[in-house]
C-alpha cells in the first residue's frame, strides 16, 4: 500500500497513560496514522482530546457508537481502517463487537474482556466477521522474546521441563485507589476490572509470555491469591503452581503490593539441553545456559540471532530497545497483516497476539480464582 493505515481510537483521552503509549507505538514504524477517536465517556473531553491531538473536530466523536457509525458512512478512502480500544476492561467488549460487525478490524488492550463469557462471545464475532483482531500483549513483541521462542521451537533447549515466571509491582502497596488516582480505582473495582485484579492486569502477561515462548499450553493451575490492600475484594498478589500440557511444571508469582518493585516481569525456561532467562526491566539481554558450553548472552541485532528476532530489531546493536519498541512490534505485525489482506494476500500465522490469546488469558484468570476459592486445588484451564 502507498498510504498509511488509518486508526480510530476508543478511550485514551488527555492524561491517559496507555492511550499515549498506543499512539506512540502505532507511529514508530510509519505505517499508521490516527484519524479519529472517541477518547472519553464525556463528549466534551473527547472532543477536547481529539483537537489537542491535531484531529479535525468533525472526527472527534462523543462516544464509540457515534464514531463507528459515522466512520462507516464515510467513503472507503477516508474512513478508518481499524479501531484501537484502550479503555478499562469493562469497555472492551461493546466497542470491539460493534466495530467488527460494522466491518472494522480491531486492536484491543488486555485482558480482552470483562468476563470469560464475553471473551468467548467475541471470539465468535471475530470468526464470523473475518476481520483481524490483535491483543496488545506487548512483551511478546520484544526481539529477544522472539529469539527465545525461536530457540525453543528449534529444539535447542531440548524438552522443556521447568518454567518460572514472575510479574512483580509495588504501586498498590498503599490504598492508592482511595485517592484521586483513576488507574488504581478502576483496577480494584470488580465492576470495571472483572473477577481478577493483579491476575488480569499483570498475571495474564506472565501467562501469555509462558505460552508464547514455550509453545506449550498451561493445563492446570493451583493458585493461592492474596488481597492485602484494606477493603480490596480483588487479588493484589498471588502465587501459582502450573502444569504444562507436555508434563513440564512451573510457578508464576505476581504482585502489585511487592513494595519497591517497579515492573519486574521475568521468565526462566529450563530444558534437557539448555535454559534461558529474560527480564523486562533489562530487555536487551537474553541469557542462555548449556550443559557443556559457557553461558551465552544475546542482544538486540547482535550476533547469531534468528530471523524472527532480527526482523523486529530496528536499530544497530548496542542501542537499547525496550517497552515502546516491543509495543510497536504488535502494531507493525498487525499492520503488515492488514496490508496483506487489503492486497488480497494471506498470512497463515500472523505473529501477534489474537483473540485466541485473549480467551486463554480469561481462562487463566477464571481457573486461578476458582482454584483459590478451593484452597489452591488443582484446576484445569477450560
Amino acid at each position: 500500500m502507498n498510504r498509511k493505515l488509518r486508526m480510530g481510537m476508543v478511550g485514551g483521552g488527555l492524561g491517559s497513560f496507555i492511550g499515549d503509549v498506543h499512539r506512540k507505538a502505532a507511529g514508530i514504524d510509519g505505517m499508521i496514522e490516527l484519524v479519529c477517536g472517541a477518547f472519553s465517556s464525556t463528549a466534551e473531553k473527547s472532543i477536547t482530546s481529539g483537537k489537542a491531538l491535531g484531529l479535525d473536530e468533525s472526527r472527534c466523536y462523543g462516544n464509540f457508537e457515534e464514531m463507528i457509525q459515522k466512520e462507516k458512512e464515510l467513503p472507503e478512502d477516508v474512513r478508518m481502517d481499524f479501531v484501537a480500544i484502550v479503555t478499562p476492561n469493562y469497555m472492551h467488549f461493546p466497542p470491539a463487537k460493534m466495530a467488527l460487525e460494522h466491518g472494522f478490524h480491531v486492536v484491543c488492550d488486555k485482558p480482552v474482556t470483562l468476563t470469560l463469557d464475553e471473551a468467548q462471545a467475541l471470539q465468535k464475532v471475530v470468526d464470523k466477521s473475518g476481520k483481524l483482531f490483535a491483543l496488545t500483549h506487548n512483551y511478546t513483541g520484544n526481539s529477544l522474546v522472539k529469539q527465545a521462542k525461536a530457540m525453543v521451537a528449534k529444539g535447542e533447549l531440548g524438552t522443556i521441563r521447568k518454567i518460572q515466571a514472575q510479574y512483580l509491582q509495588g504501586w498498590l502497596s498503599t490504598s492508592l485507589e482511595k485517592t484521586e488516582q483513576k488507574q488504581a480505582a478502576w483496577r480494584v473495582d470488580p465492576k470495571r476490572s472483572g473477577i481478577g485484579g493483579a491476575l488480569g492486569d499483570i498475571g495474564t502477561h506472565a501467562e501469555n509470555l509462558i505460552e508464547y515462548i514455550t509453545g506449550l499450553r498451561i493445563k492446570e493451575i493451583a493458585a493461592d491469591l492474596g488481597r492485602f490492600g484494606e477493603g480490596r475484594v480483588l487479588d493484589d498478589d498471588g502465587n501459582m503452581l502450573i502444569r504444562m500440557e507436555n508434563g513440564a511444571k512451573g510457578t508464576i508469582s505476581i504482585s502489585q503490593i511487592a513494595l519497591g518493585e517497579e515492573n519486574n516481569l521475568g521468565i526462566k525456561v529450563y530444558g534437557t539441553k539448555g535454559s534461558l532467562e529474560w527480564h523486562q526491566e533489562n530487555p536487551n539481554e537474553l541469557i542462555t545456559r548449556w550443559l557443556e558450553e559457557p553461558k551465552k548472552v544475546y542482544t538486540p541485532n547482535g550476533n547469531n540471532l534468528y530471523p524472527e528476532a532480527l526482523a523486529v530489531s530496528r536499530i544497530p546493536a548496542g542501542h537499547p530497545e525496550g517497552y515502546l519498541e516491543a509495543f510497536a512490534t504488535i502494531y507493525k505485525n498487525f499492520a503488515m497483516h492488514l496490508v496483506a489482506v487489503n492486497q488480497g494476500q494471506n498470512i497463515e500465522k500472523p505473529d501477534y497476539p489474537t483473540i485466541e490469546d485473549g480467551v486463554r488469558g480469561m481462562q487463566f484468570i477464571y481457573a486461578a480464582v476458582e482454584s483459590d476459592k478451593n484452597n489452591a486445588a488443582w484446576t484445569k484451564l477450560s
Side-chain angles (χ1 to χ4, degrees), residues 191-243:
K191 292 181 180 179
R192 291 180 285 175
S193 184
I195 68 169
L199 273 171
D201 197 27
I202 58 177
T204 52
H205 274 308
E207 166 268 327
N208 181 257
L209 196 62
I210 287 171
E211 293 198 344
Y212 183 76
I213 288 177
T214 67
L216 301 170
R217 291 164 71 92
I218 299 172
K219 182 180 179 181
E220 294 179 284
I221 186 170
D224 180 20
L225 305 179
R227 297 160 186 84
F228 289 100
E230 183 180 355
R232 287 181 189 158
V233 296
L234 297 181
D235 61 277
D236 52 20
D237 184 82
N239 297 292
M240 290 157 269
L241 300 176
I242 58 173
R243 292 171 176 165

Side-chain angles (χ1 to χ4, degrees), residues 10 64-65 85-96 114 192:
V10 178
F64 74 83
E65 294 95 341
I85 299 170
V86 299
T87 57
N89 305 351
Y90 77 104
M91 279 300 295
H92 289 180
F93 179 74
L114 185 70
R192 291 180 285 175

Side-chain angles (χ1 to χ4, degrees), residues 141-149 151 213 278 282-287 298-302 305 309 312-313:
N142 187 283
S143 64
L144 294 183
V145 169
K146 295 192 181 298
Q147 174 71 12
K149 178 180 177 65
M151 293 176 74
I213 288 177
W278 181 81
N282 187 19
N284 295 283
E285 289 189 353
L286 173 65
I287 301 169
Y298 294 87
T299 59
N301 231 344
L305 290 188
V312 297
S313 297

